[in-house]
């Protein structure tokens, strides 16, 4: 493949990735409510239960319930709702 073809392929792949992330974030935002318990797909917060404090346009403010303290602003695409 030529360099130009690789650049086009790269831009198409990035476009698909970004659209998937935005779809996941939109779906998560529709389900999120203040006070819900959630998990976050990130190594720093593995195994920790968090509670939703505030939902913004692209991120949510979460407070740690067990195994730590503090709060985090997390992108909506990284949040998993605990059922």
């Amino acid at each position: 493949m030529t360099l130009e073809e690789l650049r086009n392929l790269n831009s198409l792949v990035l476009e698909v990735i970004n659209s998937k992330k935005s779809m996941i974030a939109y779906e998560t935002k529709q389900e999120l409510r203040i006070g819900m318990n959630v998990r976050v797909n990130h190594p720093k917060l593995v195994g920790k239960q968090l509670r939703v404090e505030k939902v913004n346009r692209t991120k949510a403010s979460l407070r740690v319930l067990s195994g730590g303290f503090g709060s985090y602003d997390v992108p909506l695409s990284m949040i998993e709702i605990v059922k």
Side-chain angles (χ1 to χ4, degrees), residues 1 8-9 15 19-20 27-28 32 40-42 44 47 49 54 56 60 62 68 73 75-77:
M1 295 184 112
N8 288 336
L9 179 62
E15 187 176 314
S19 67
K20 291 276 188 181
E27 291 170 358
T28 302
L32 273 184
V40 176
N41 184 14
H42 191 274
K44 187 175 183 179
Q49 289 286 325
K54 182 178 177 184
N56 297 323
L62 307 176
D73 287 333
L76 295 173
S77 61

Side-chain angles (χ1 to χ4, degrees), residues 55-81:
V55 179
N56 297 323
R57 185 172 54 87
T58 59
K59 295 184 179 184
S61 295
L62 307 176
R63 180 169 304 281
V64 177
L65 293 177
S66 61
F69 59 92
S71 63
Y72 299 94
D73 287 333
V74 179
L76 295 173
S77 61
M78 293 178 72
I79 296 174
E80 299 172 1
I81 297 172

